[in-house]
Amino acid sequence: MAADSHQADSPLAQTMSSDTRDNALNGNGTSTTADHPNGHAGPPPSYPGQSRTMFDEVINSDLGISTLLNRLKQSISSARDFAAFLKKRSSLEEEHAQGLRKLCRATYEGVRRPENRQGSYAQHYGDVIRVQERMADHGAQFALALHHMHDEIHELAGGSERGRKHWKQAGLTAEKRSQDAELLMEKAKLKYESLAEDYDRVKTGDRQAGRVFGLRGPRSAAQLEEDLQRKVQAADTDYASKVQTAQSQRQELVMSLRPQAVEALQGLIRECDSALTMQMQKFASLTEAFLLNNGLSVTPINGIADGPGNGTPKTLRDVVLQIDNEKDLQEYVLSFAGKVPAKSNEIKYERHPSLGLQQQGPPAPTTATGSRPPQQGPSQLPPLSFGASQQPPPQQFQHSPTQAEHPSSPLQAQPPASSSMYNPAPHPGTQVMIDTPGGMSGMGSRNGHPPLGGLSSAPGGAQYGVVVPPPQQQHFPSQTATPRPPSEGIPMSTSTGPPYSGDLPPLKPVFGSSLDELYRRDGSAVPIIIYQCIQAVDLFGLEVEGIYRLSGTTSHVARIRSIFDHDAASVDFRNPEHFFHDVNSVAGALKQFLRDLPDPLLTREHYPGFIEAARIEDDIIRRDSLHAVINSLPDPNYATLRALILHLHRVQDHSSVNRMNSGNLAICFGPTLMGSNTSQNISDAGWQVRVVDTILQNTYQIFDDD
């Protein structure tokens, strides 16, 4: 057997197995079936004298065969019960071994992922998984051995049942013949004794019986006596014959047929019982070997390694203790030594030279603590430097060389002579309207999150710009206001609400438009609404519990939809005021856009391919099949799906806070990405969820993270 050969891996297990086999072959000090001349196990070596006599009386009596038949039936039933136990135990062990192997394969793949720790952790974690794989191998071999034992016991029970039927027919038939012969003898005896009594009365002259009338009339006493004498002689002959027949049947039963049946039934009983006991001892031996092999896998004994070529044995505890966290951290950090950028110059504020000619400046702004800095002359302002504990200026303005004589910044330019009112710098998050000398005005907003930085000029001519996001984030230009004459001064808007009010006509509809149409119109493979909504959730919604599951405010969702349909390029969701501080409404608008697509994101054309791949049970094959179907999607669909899945993967990374793991996200997005309008799609809801769940669990195997 496979399990027996596996036990040879461990000398301790091998020694244990041989000792247990010897005990199994000679249980309780008795001989096995090989010691009996007829191939059956003999009786126990000794009984007390009275018990042995009573035992022989029972088995040699008329009850012997039926008693042994019932006892053999019990043995067969017990063997079948144990065989059923072994079969169920084998199935459980095989299922556990397969599940453990599957888990080990998946864990191996996870260890090799670049987002997981490497170094000593990955190496020794792999050793831990290999120990689990060896335990799975032991379980599979143990299950195979139990399956073979089940087959052997089942075959034993079948053979015993056939022998029982044979000797039941032979033994009970012989008993029945003897009983029938004795019954006929008793009937012949009764008839003989009755006729003899009648003959004796007639012979002695007893007339109590009266005259006997026949068909020929009344008979005389002499005729009656002669007739009865003839009948008595015939009954006597028949009675003697029946007695002789019964005696021969009884003698044959007692001397030949019954002993044969009794001996055969005892042999079958002992054979079945001995084989069952041996199989139970074998089960105990295999169980002990299985547990010992698992123990040697976890904690090897010095000089005994579980498996060839493993070198010096190490316990599972020793393997884990060899993980060096500090070394892993140092190696990881040092791997970026060649990528360290050159040190940049100190960040400082440099005043434009054209402003140094001013004779009078505006009132000095207050500091963060509410006090004013020391007064300095306009031509002696030193450059300001912001340390790690200081906050950068809330807003910076760029100048065009042609506008040096027309300063428009309330923080840096002298107000016009006709204006005696000074407008302070707007509060962070407010909108600023600034007129330029060329008659154009720009509108911008300062975002409280993320931190502001950099300057930008609005399209359409040189003008003072507003703060834009960090360079790694895309920025869409803000709306522009109506031009004002330069003489009107510098009006400023201090509204803290969203910059969208009133009814907005759908100038460039987004909702209900296909991805191809948006790509041709806007020139972006990923629609602007997808980009903006993902950006808002990444900034403000990753730690919101139930994101994408909880619905936002209906009026907010409708307003966001109206904003994008009016002009998606003017939307900037990095400021939470622009979506009413309701990130759930942003998530709802994103899902609404995907639901309103004329063709679902995963397309109707590829729908059967996704469902067919989802039905595959093997995780690796299902992932590769879905990957192949995804690669065949149109370019806008592929780009949009990639951006969305990478975003949802970031959402599930915060599942400990937002409670949205891959399964919950798949339930929310399965019908949304694959379509849920037809009855067939509704019946496939479970497979749709499995498609999205598999993609989320294998994000970096399907999409590159650049």
Side-chain angles (χ1 to χ4, degrees):
M1 285 187 183
D4 294 337
S5 62
H6 177 69
Q7 293 170 7
D9 295 344
S10 172
L12 180 60
Q14 184 178 9
T15 303
M16 178 278 306
S17 301
S18 62
D19 294 341
T20 310
R21 289 192 189 97
D22 294 340
N23 294 333
L25 294 176
N26 194 14
N28 298 326
T30 62
S31 61
T32 60
T33 56
D35 299 330
H36 196 274
N38 295 331
H40 302 303
S46 63
Y47 282 114
Q50 185 177 2
S51 299
R52 183 64 188 176
T53 302
M54 295 176 62
F55 178 83
D56 293 338
E57 288 179 357
V58 173
I59 63 175
N60 292 324
S61 66
D62 295 342
L63 300 176
I65 294 179
S66 60
T67 300
L68 294 177
L69 286 172
N70 291 332
R71 178 62 177 78
L72 179 58
K73 185 177 181 180
Q74 291 179 348
S75 298
I76 294 172
S77 177
S78 299
R80 285 175 174 166
D81 288 344
F82 186 61
F85 164 76
L86 292 178
K87 184 177 181 180
K88 183 63 176 177
R89 183 81 162 83
S90 174
S91 300
L92 293 175
E93 286 295 337
E94 184 177 3
E95 181 180 356
H96 176 265
Q98 291 178 353
L100 186 55
R101 284 174 174 171
K102 184 177 179 181
L103 175 62
C104 291
R105 288 197 301 269
T107 306
Y108 265 134
E109 293 183 359
V111 170
R112 292 192 292 267
R113 291 179 181 175
E115 64 267 19
N116 290 336
R117 282 180 58 184
Q118 302 300 319
S120 64
Y121 170 80
Q123 176 185 353
H124 296 299
Y125 190 19
D127 294 339
V128 171
I129 301 304
R130 279 187 284 275
V131 171
Q132 302 300 314
E133 281 188 335
R134 289 198 295 271
M135 295 175 65
D137 294 339
H138 297 159
Q141 294 174 353
F142 181 57
L144 181 62
L146 295 184
H147 183 72
H148 290 330
M149 290 176 59
H150 161 264
D151 294 341
E152 292 174 357
I153 297 177
H154 188 73
E155 182 179 357
L156 169 69
S160 300
E161 182 64 29
R162 289 190 295 271
R164 178 180 178 276
K165 290 181 179 179
H166 170 74
W167 289 109
K168 178 181 180 180
Q169 182 179 3
L172 294 183
T173 300
E175 294 278 357
K176 185 69 168 54
R177 286 198 303 267
S178 177
Q179 292 174 1
D180 291 343
E182 292 179 3
L183 183 60
L184 292 176
M185 181 194 69
E186 292 295 333
K187 290 182 178 180
K189 180 180 178 181
L190 291 176
K191 181 178 180 181
Y192 168 71
E193 290 177 350
S194 176
L195 290 174
E197 290 177 358
D198 291 342
Y199 175 72
D200 183 63
R201 284 194 298 268
V202 171
K203 185 177 180 180
T204 56
D206 184 3
R207 300 295 184 179
Q208 294 179 359
R211 301 181 65 180
V212 179
F213 294 91
L215 297 177
R216 298 179 181 180
R219 291 181 293 177
S220 62
Q223 292 176 340
L224 182 59
E225 182 180 352
E226 183 181 359
D227 187 38
L228 287 175
Q229 184 180 7
R230 188 173 58 253
K231 290 182 179 180
V232 169
Q233 291 176 352
D236 180 67
T237 303
D238 182 63
Y239 173 55
S241 175
K242 292 293 191 296
V243 170
Q244 186 177 3
T245 301
Q247 289 176 347
S248 63
Q249 291 289 341
R250 168 64 67 175
Q251 184 177 7
E252 182 182 9
L253 174 65
V254 173
M255 300 301 296
S256 177
L257 296 179
R258 180 180 289 171
Q260 290 178 5
V262 168
E263 184 69 16
L265 290 174
Q266 287 187 84
L268 289 173
I269 291 172
R270 290 179 178 131
E271 179 183 13
C272 184
D273 293 347
S274 298
L276 179 59
T277 302
M278 185 180 69
Q279 291 290 348
M280 294 184 71
Q281 293 175 349
K282 186 176 181 181
F283 170 72
S285 172
L286 290 174
T287 303
E288 185 176 358
F290 169 62
L291 296 177
L292 284 175
N293 286 331
N294 283 343
L296 290 175
S297 298
V298 176
T299 308
I301 299 177
N302 292 333
I304 302 178
D306 183 27
N310 289 341
T312 304
K314 296 180 181 178
T315 67
L316 190 61
R317 179 187 295 272
D318 294 338
V319 170
V320 175
L321 291 177
Q322 288 180 353
I323 298 176
D324 191 341
N325 295 328
E326 291 298 328
K327 181 181 178 182
D328 290 349
L329 176 60
Q330 184 178 6
E331 290 180 351
Y332 178 78
V333 173
L334 291 179
S335 65
F336 292 88
K339 302 179 182 180
V340 177
K343 293 184 178 180
S344 59
N345 297 329
E346 182 182 2
I347 300 176
K348 60 182 180 180
Y349 171 75
E350 296 181 358
R351 192 177 185 85
H352 196 274
S354 62
L355 301 179
L357 302 177
Q358 296 179 358
Q359 300 298 327
Q360 181 180 359
T366 59
T367 63
T369 58
S371 61
R372 292 180 179 270
Q375 298 290 337
Q376 296 179 353
S379 61
Q380 299 178 355
L381 288 175
L384 299 178
S385 174
F386 298 96
S389 61
Q390 294 176 318
Q391 296 294 331
Q395 184 172 0
Q396 300 174 355
F397 296 91
Q398 71 178 16
H399 288 271
S400 172
T402 59
Q403 297 173 343
E405 298 177 1
H406 304 279
S408 58
S409 170
L411 297 178
Q412 301 170 355
Q414 181 179 2
S418 61
S419 174
S420 61
M421 180 179 296
Y422 170 70
N423 292 327
H427 189 274
T430 60
Q431 302 174 9
V432 183
M433 298 295 297
I434 305 175
D435 289 343
T436 62
M440 298 295 292
S441 63
M443 179 181 67
S445 62
R446 291 187 293 180
N447 303 325
H449 184 83
L452 300 176
L455 301 177
S456 141
S457 296
Q463 62 181 24
Y464 295 113
V466 294
V467 179
V468 297
Q472 66 269 21
Q473 296 180 342
Q474 184 179 355
H475 171 65
F476 298 97
S478 58
Q479 293 176 324
T480 57
T482 16
R484 296 174 180 266
S487 60
E488 292 185 5
I490 309 176
M492 304 181 67
S493 171
T494 59
S495 170
T496 59
Y500 317 107
S501 59
D503 295 333
L504 300 177
L507 301 179
K508 296 180 180 180
V510 172
F511 286 81
S513 301
S514 66
L515 295 178
D516 289 336
E517 180 181 352
L518 295 176
Y519 177 54
R520 289 191 300 269
R521 187 184 72 190
D522 301 332
S524 174
V526 179
I528 295 176
I529 182 174
I530 296 291
Y531 172 81
Q532 289 291 345
C533 292
I534 287 177
Q535 180 178 239
V537 175
D538 281 344
L539 292 175
F540 307 105
L542 291 181
E543 296 186 354
V544 174
E545 183 173 350
I547 188 69
Y548 288 116
R549 176 173 57 83
L550 300 178
S551 302
T553 306
T554 305
S555 59
H556 290 171
V557 175
R559 187 61 180 164
I560 292 173
R561 175 172 181 162
S562 175
I563 292 171
F564 278 102
D565 281 340
H566 176 69
D567 185 8
S570 64
V571 180
D572 186 0
F573 274 177
R574 288 167 300 167
N575 188 344
E577 295 179 353
H578 292 179
F579 52 82
F580 317 100
H581 295 275
D582 185 2
V583 72
N584 284 325
S585 294
V586 176
L590 172 62
K591 292 194 294 182
Q592 185 64 46
F593 168 77
L594 295 173
R595 283 194 294 266
D596 289 350
L597 288 175
D599 190 22
L601 182 60
L602 299 185
T603 73
R604 296 186 183 91
E605 177 185 356
H606 296 86
Y607 182 85
F610 282 109
I611 297 301
E612 182 179 356
R615 297 179 188 273
I616 300 175
E617 291 298 329
D618 187 89
D619 294 341
I620 306 302
I621 300 177
R622 182 171 69 253
R623 179 199 68 191
D624 294 341
S625 300
L626 289 174
H627 192 180
V629 181
I630 290 173
N631 286 340
S632 63
L633 290 173
D635 290 346
N637 297 68
Y638 179 88
T640 303
L641 178 64
R642 177 183 176 278
L644 179 63
I645 293 300
L646 290 174
H647 163 67
L648 295 181
H649 192 270
R650 293 191 292 272
V651 173
Q652 76 170 2
D653 284 343
H654 294 75
S655 61
S656 60
V657 179
N658 58 37
R659 307 298 182 188
M660 294 301 291
N661 54 26
S662 62
N664 293 336
L665 290 173
I667 293 174
C668 294
F669 279 90
T672 301
L673 300 183
M674 301 192 67
S676 58
N677 297 328
T678 64
S679 58
Q680 178 183 0
N681 292 16
I682 295 175
S683 63
D684 293 339
W687 302 119
Q688 295 175 355
V689 172
R690 194 174 192 182
V691 168
V692 179
D693 187 30
T694 303
I695 296 174
L696 287 175
Q697 291 183 11
N698 299 274
T699 299
Y700 296 116
Q701 284 74 33
I702 297 177
F703 302 105
D704 58 316
D705 184 23
D706 53 10

